[in-house]
Amino acid sequence: MTDDAVTALWIAAVVDESTHHKSVAVRAALRAVSRVKSLNSLARWRVVDACEREQLQCTQYKRSQIAENSHNGPVGWALDVWASVELSRRGYMLEGPPIDQVMQAASSRLSKLADGNDVEAAALARAIHAGGGGPELFAAYLHRAQSRLDRSSGLYRQHVEFVGTIDNTYEAKLALGDAFTALADAHGTFHSVEDSLERDQSMNDATKARALAIVAGHHPLTTPQQAIRDDIVRRIEQRSYSVDDARSLAAILEALLNAGITVPGVTVKPALVTNANEGVVDAILVLAQDHVLANSDEILTYYDSYVVHLPSAITSDGITSPWLFYRLAVLDGADVDWGQQVAAVAAIVSHRIGCTGHPAMARATGDPRHPLDCDLAQTALLVNTQFGVEYDRDDR
């Protein structure tokens, strides 16, 4: 069970308690999850607390692993420490480092915490208080934040700098081509991406692969970055996937290919195209056209009829198809006779270009009632097809 699912279950128990109602479904789910051993400290505390609210004896947790680090970042670590202390106070045995050592680490972090990290500071202070510590370190943090205090409201102003995401940055790289490097250099993008790649433990493999592609397009990968690359490759190489399981795989392989990295022995078992899987099939076909998959020839043969009929499918579906630009990406690498349909497809494409304030971007839908429906990923797909090369990248 995921952390989010445990949180939802805990919230349901809180609601049950406040309404004096005991849900059979919630109680059954709590009994089941109380036997899961892989939960982190915070999720485990939520299960224990939810059981108490439901007046259940969820006593399966004889021992609890105290947090040494967290995949949810520094705030998650502080919350895990707090939850570990709370479990200890309720009689659960803690494994791992001594509680005093962990509390000392939390105190050290709070004492050195830079101004502006209010959420982390509050989480650390809560953990320290639960462990029997005093308020002095948190008071010192608030003193450092005095310049942000709004005297009229008693609140601390938070200065936020807008930042992008690695996924959107990667799509921008594909859309802008050579112009991306100068733009990214001017804004410190490569440094930001490298920092996130090496520090963010919660990043999934597809995003990691995209980060590697961004960095590799600027300079050779460092030794730690090569280790991240090797770790991703090790997880997916020499394996067979179904189309239904290939959505993330396709994103990883495509990004690694853009980083100049190929993965050996990956095969995808072809399946009939449906409205639900067409986007994945199109992505797999583009990879097969570049011979990235070990069974690329099998993929191309299996989907040959589908590809041949894509121009007709585009004109038949008109401007509303969610797969328009995915289909164009496939056709760009295929030897297909367009016949008299080129002009009709070009007209459909033109209807999907242009948003308020962004006349060169593609829209996610063809609905003219949604002029703000810009989509960076589909813009990147478009500009790398024969229908997109006419656009001047400098206008974007």
Side-chain angles (χ1 to χ4, degrees):
M1 178 173 281
T2 64
D3 290 353
D4 287 345
V6 171
T7 301
L9 195 56
W10 175 68
I11 292 172
V14 172
V15 172
D16 276 3
E17 183 183 49
S18 66
T19 58
H20 305 289
H21 169 73
K22 296 294 182 285
S23 166
V24 174
V26 170
R27 291 165 68 86
L30 281 172
R31 289 190 182 95
V33 76
S34 69
R35 292 187 286 271
V36 177
K37 298 180 179 180
S38 59
L39 299 177
N40 61 34
S41 297
L42 182 58
R44 189 164 296 203
W45 173 86
R46 283 175 174 154
V47 173
V48 169
D49 187 71
C51 285
E52 292 180 358
R53 292 174 185 274
E54 292 285 343
Q55 298 177 349
L56 292 175
Q57 295 296 317
C58 298
T59 58
Q60 286 83 351
Y61 295 149
K62 300 300 183 184
R63 303 180 72 85
S64 180
Q65 178 72 38
I66 193 167
E68 294 184 74
N69 52 58
S70 172
H71 292 301
N72 297 320
V75 176
W77 178 80
L79 290 174
D80 276 346
V81 170
W82 169 82
S84 296
V85 174
E86 287 295 322
L87 287 170
S88 177
R89 290 170 58 180
R90 297 187 190 205
Y92 293 88
M93 297 293 294
L94 295 177
E95 297 177 340
I99 188 65
D100 290 345
Q101 179 180 325
V102 177
M103 298 310 301
Q104 184 177 1
S107 297
S108 175
R109 183 166 183 84
L110 181 55
S111 68
K112 301 173 183 177
L113 193 63
D115 180 34
N117 295 284
D118 295 355
V119 176
E120 183 182 355
L124 286 168
R126 186 184 188 193
I128 292 169
H129 175 73
E136 295 81 11
L137 292 175
F138 188 55
Y141 175 85
L142 293 178
H143 179 74
R144 296 196 296 275
Q146 283 297 303
S147 61
R148 296 191 287 113
L149 178 61
D150 182 353
R151 302 290 177 180
S152 62
S153 66
L155 300 176
Y156 290 83
R157 299 184 184 92
Q158 185 69 269
H159 303 287
V160 179
E161 180 178 350
F162 288 107
V163 296
T165 67
I166 286 178
D167 291 332
N168 280 345
T169 302
Y170 175 74
E171 302 294 357
K173 168 182 165 62
L174 297 184
L176 293 171
D178 294 339
F180 174 79
T181 299
L183 184 65
D185 267 332
H187 290 81
T189 300
F190 295 110
H191 173 74
S192 296
V193 170
E194 287 184 294
D195 186 65
S196 295
L197 177 62
E198 296 180 20
R199 293 176 181 272
D200 187 353
Q201 298 180 357
S202 65
M203 191 181 297
N204 62 49
D205 281 352
T207 302
K208 287 180 183 177
R210 289 171 171 175
L212 290 171
I214 294 168
V215 174
H218 186 254
H219 56 260
L221 298 179
T222 64
T223 299
Q225 291 161 2
Q226 290 173 11
I228 294 172
R229 172 203 63 194
D230 295 342
D231 191 43
I232 296 172
V233 171
R234 194 177 303 114
R235 277 195 287 273
I236 63 175
E237 66 182 350
Q238 304 299 336
R239 290 184 57 188
S240 180
Y241 300 81
S242 68
V243 167
D244 291 338
D245 294 331
R247 186 180 304 275
S248 176
L249 173 72
I252 294 170
L253 291 176
E254 187 263 345
L256 290 178
L257 183 64
N258 273 298
I261 303 163
T262 56
V263 182
V266 178
T267 62
V268 176
K269 185 178 180 180
L272 293 176
V273 181
T274 67
N275 189 58
N277 71 14
E278 182 170 355
V280 181
V281 169
D282 291 340
I284 293 298
L285 273 167
V286 171
L287 291 171
Q289 290 169 347
D290 288 329
H291 299 286
V292 173
L293 302 171
N295 65 330
S296 291
D297 291 340
E298 177 191 4
I299 293 287
L300 295 175
T301 300
Y302 183 91
Y303 290 111
D304 179 67
S305 178
Y306 163 75
V307 174
V308 168
H309 290 93
L310 276 181
S312 298
I314 292 174
T315 55
S316 175
D317 289 349
I319 65 173
T320 61
S321 172
W323 311 122
L324 171 62
F325 299 115
Y326 297 89
R327 292 169 170 176
L328 292 179
V330 172
L331 287 168
D332 210 54
D335 184 14
V336 173
D337 182 8
W338 289 72
Q340 303 298 315
Q341 299 174 98
V342 174
V345 172
I348 290 171
V349 171
S350 69
H351 279 287
R352 290 283 290 272
I353 297 173
C355 316
T356 302
H358 302 282
M361 286 191 70
R363 293 201 307 277
T365 71
D367 191 340
R369 294 173 297 177
H370 298 284
L372 295 175
D373 197 13
C374 297
D375 191 283
L376 185 55
Q378 298 201 46
T379 301
L381 285 170
L382 171 63
V383 299
N384 286 287
T385 69
Q386 60 180 304
F387 290 95
V389 293
E390 298 177 2
Y391 294 103
D392 183 359
R393 295 180 189 269
D394 292 335
D395 289 339
R396 295 189 199 95

